[in-house]
Amino acid sequence: MSRAAEPGGKGARSACTQTDSLTGQVPRLSKVNLFTLFSLWMELFPSVEPQKHSKVKKAGLVVVKDMKIVGLHCSSQHLHAGQIALIKYGSRLKNCDLYFSRKPCSMCLKMIVNAGVNRISYWPADPEISLQHQASNEDAKLDAKAAERLKSNSRAHVCVLLQPLVCHMVQFVEESCHKCDFVQKIAKTQPGSSADFYTECRQKLIKAYESLFLVAREESHKHILNTIGLENLCENPYFSNLRQNMKDLILLLATVAASVPDFGHFGFYCDQAECVGEAYYRRLPQEVARHCMIQARLLAYRTEDHKTGVGAVIWAEANAESCDGTGALYFIGCGYNAFPVGSEYADFPHMDDKQKDREIRKFRYIIHSEQNALTFRCQEIKPDERSMIFVTKCPCDECVPLIKGAGIKLIYAGDADVGRKKADISYMKFAELEGVRKFTWQLNPSYACASAPEREELTVRNPDGEPKPPVAEEQDPQAGAACLGDH
């Protein structure tokens, strides 16, 4: 098979585990597929500006250095994803791996190849300059030929890199998503309806993502693959395997996205000492908070803890808008819970807190997701900018001082463990944390603890004068890409 495509075989061993160790007792997502899923998800980043109809498709980009994510980006109205990479990194792109949600156009490809990147991997469907529904558009075909010539004559490895999901991975993700904090909270308030709600939301997302990321007709897909230089994938069994791998990843992405439903919202966490104040006005738009939490949920499937996967991602908001499609937000770092780098999977205990013998419990050895995110962050946290961490579980007492000490201003978290003490692990300090604003996913309006005058001041009213909960800022109707499956 040529350099154009390297779909991983079922026996292929991923060389990108945290500890280069054996996998645990649950399926684990490979880093290559995680990077691919992140690129697709970044394409769905809520638009900070109205999107105009164009033959140039919006694209997501993941920048990887030494198998660690150093940047998450998406194209803006004026700049392609490859152009943004060049502006942000310049010569620092040397020896980086870039994962695109679409094959970059020749204009972007020539610049990033010239920067000395190591690998350019892209999703094998409609390219950045769309060939779909553009049969008579010669410019799109000429660009595809130019990009192919650049690929063939570059030192960078330009390829499709899709690894099959490990056995039972989709089934495991679906089962764990049913049990996650957000869906369970719906189950408690609406018994019997949460499963139906989740299933309906998931099915809508699957349809939406397939229409966006997968060419519906196989003949059309083969035509596009031929045009962008992947003719060696148009013959079976390669084509069938490629389509199946693509469908599996789309299914997994939709399953995880449905686990953080639009039904609820991220609201200000009120304890006895705090109520809604300026934090209400400074929180992120709901669709952005949800998008970042789903990134953390995806990271959780890289865990080396065979019982509980936890993911964390850190973003910051600059004092001014940037050229990126993410607006003022920029990526700081991410992590998942795992054993120390370089250790073997069998080196440490794996028992949970139900074991009577405290010596064989795992919690003293597992590096928490927040700790990994801070350890392997690609940028420093600036005290004059608003930084935020998204964690799939409530931070424990071990991580809360680290988060505050690092200068992170906002915490967005699942709250199933808030205020609880579970055997050796306590989640009590989260409620006592001062100087850091906390937001948890909730069904009830976040202003419920405010005084009557505060509630009246914060109330958003419908045109007929009736109050409605201030669950989010007004959404741009053009920003629907990240809100697919709204109820």
Side-chain angles (χ1 to χ4, degrees), residues 218-373:
E218 291 190 1
E219 289 305 312
S220 299
H221 194 182
K222 286 182 179 180
H223 172 73
I224 288 174
L225 294 179
N226 269 298
T227 308
I228 63 176
L230 295 179
E231 59 277 355
N232 56 334
L233 287 181
C234 293
E235 299 296 329
N236 280 323
Y238 303 120
F239 182 72
S240 297
N241 290 339
L242 179 75
R243 294 272 296 186
Q244 187 58 52
N245 291 344
M246 293 172 73
K247 287 180 179 178
D248 286 345
L249 285 173
I250 292 170
L251 179 61
L252 190 148
L253 182 63
T255 301
V256 175
S259 71
V260 189
D262 294 327
F263 189 81
H265 70 286
F266 287 92
F268 183 50
Y269 173 74
C270 295
D271 57 28
Q272 294 154 353
E274 294 181 299
C275 276
V276 172
E278 52 88 21
Y280 167 72
Y281 297 100
R282 291 179 57 76
R283 69 180 176 183
L284 284 176
Q286 290 297 314
E287 65 271 21
V288 176
R290 176 177 177 270
H291 190 276
C292 296
M293 183 57 75
I294 290 168
Q295 292 170 356
R297 293 274 300 144
L298 286 167
L299 281 161
Y301 292 105
R302 280 285 303 156
T303 184
E304 291 182 348
D305 184 340
H306 69 269
K307 183 182 178 184
T308 305
V310 185
V313 60
I314 306 172
W315 285 82
E317 188 173 36
N319 295 324
E321 294 284 320
S322 72
C323 64
D324 208 323
T326 58
L329 288 179
Y330 64 94
F331 175 79
I332 295 287
C334 62
Y336 49 88
N337 55 335
F339 291 108
V341 173
S343 60
E344 292 294 332
Y345 184 79
D347 283 349
F348 301 115
H350 292 251
M351 303 301 179
D352 60 24
D353 57 15
K354 294 180 181 178
Q355 299 295 319
K356 292 183 179 180
D357 187 353
R358 295 179 64 189
E359 187 176 341
I360 62 172
R361 294 181 191 168
K362 65 190 177 185
F363 85 98
R364 297 185 189 277
Y365 306 98
I366 286 279
I367 308 294
H368 297 188
S369 62
E370 302 96 315
Q371 297 164 5
N372 269 325

Side-chain angles (χ1 to χ4, degrees), residues 38-40 42-43 58-62 73-75 81 99-102:
F38 265 34
S39 71
L40 298 180
M42 284 308 297
E43 183 174 314
K58 187 177 178 181
L61 168 63
V62 179
H73 309 280
C74 66
S75 51
Y99 288 77
F100 287 88
S101 65
R102 301 184 182 276

Side-chain angles (χ1 to χ4, degrees), residues 48-177:
V48 296
E49 54 192 4
Q51 292 293 308
K52 297 179 180 178
H53 292 291
S54 170
K55 67 179 181 180
V56 179
K57 296 266 190 176
K58 187 177 178 181
L61 168 63
V62 179
V63 182
V64 176
K65 181 87 168 182
D66 298 327
M67 295 308 289
K68 296 180 179 66
I69 297 174
V70 298
L72 297 176
H73 309 280
C74 66
S75 51
S76 65
Q77 182 178 330
H78 304 290
L79 290 168
H80 298 188
Q83 293 175 310
I84 290 170
L86 191 78
I87 292 170
K88 293 281 186 182
Y89 301 93
S91 62
R92 288 181 292 129
L93 283 174
K94 187 174 182 179
N95 296 326
C96 286
D97 296 341
L98 306 186
Y99 288 77
F100 287 88
S101 65
R102 301 184 182 276
K103 186 174 183 179
C105 66
S106 61
M107 176 179 61
C108 294
L109 196 58
K110 67 184 179 183
M111 292 188 292
I112 55 182
V113 163
N114 186 57
V117 298
N118 178 53
R119 184 194 297 273
I120 300 165
S121 180
Y122 58 92
W123 183 254
D126 202 24
E128 190 172 38
I129 296 186
S130 178
L131 286 165
Q132 199 168 14
H133 312 305
Q134 300 283 341
S136 61
N137 192 329
E138 286 302 315
D139 283 345
K141 294 179 181 178
L142 289 172
D143 183 81
K145 289 180 180 178
E148 177 61 17
R149 182 174 292 182
L150 283 163
K151 181 197 78 174
S152 301
N153 290 281
S154 72
R155 288 189 292 271
H157 201 103
V158 184
C159 64
V160 169
L161 191 61
L162 293 185
Q163 295 178 343
L165 294 173
V166 297
C167 186
H168 305 306
M169 186 73 210
V170 172
Q171 179 185 349
F172 170 71
V173 171
E174 185 175 0
E175 289 174 356
S176 58
C177 284

Side-chain angles (χ1 to χ4, degrees), residues 181-182 260 266 289 292-300 309-315 333-337 368-371 373-374 388-396 399-400 403 408 410-418 427 430 439-441:
D181 295 356
F182 315 115
V260 189
F266 287 92
C292 296
M293 183 57 75
I294 290 168
Q295 292 170 356
R297 293 274 300 144
L298 286 167
L299 281 161
V310 185
V313 60
I314 306 172
W315 285 82
C334 62
Y336 49 88
N337 55 335
H368 297 188
S369 62
E370 302 96 315
Q371 297 164 5
L374 288 168
M388 57 206 78
I389 186 168
F390 297 83
V391 194
T392 55
K393 278 176 65 71
C394 176
C396 68
C399 294
V400 162
I403 293 171
I408 292 174
L410 304 174
I411 299 174
Y412 287 80
D415 65 347
D417 296 316
V418 169
Y427 299 91
F430 178 82
F439 296 86
T440 58
W441 191 91

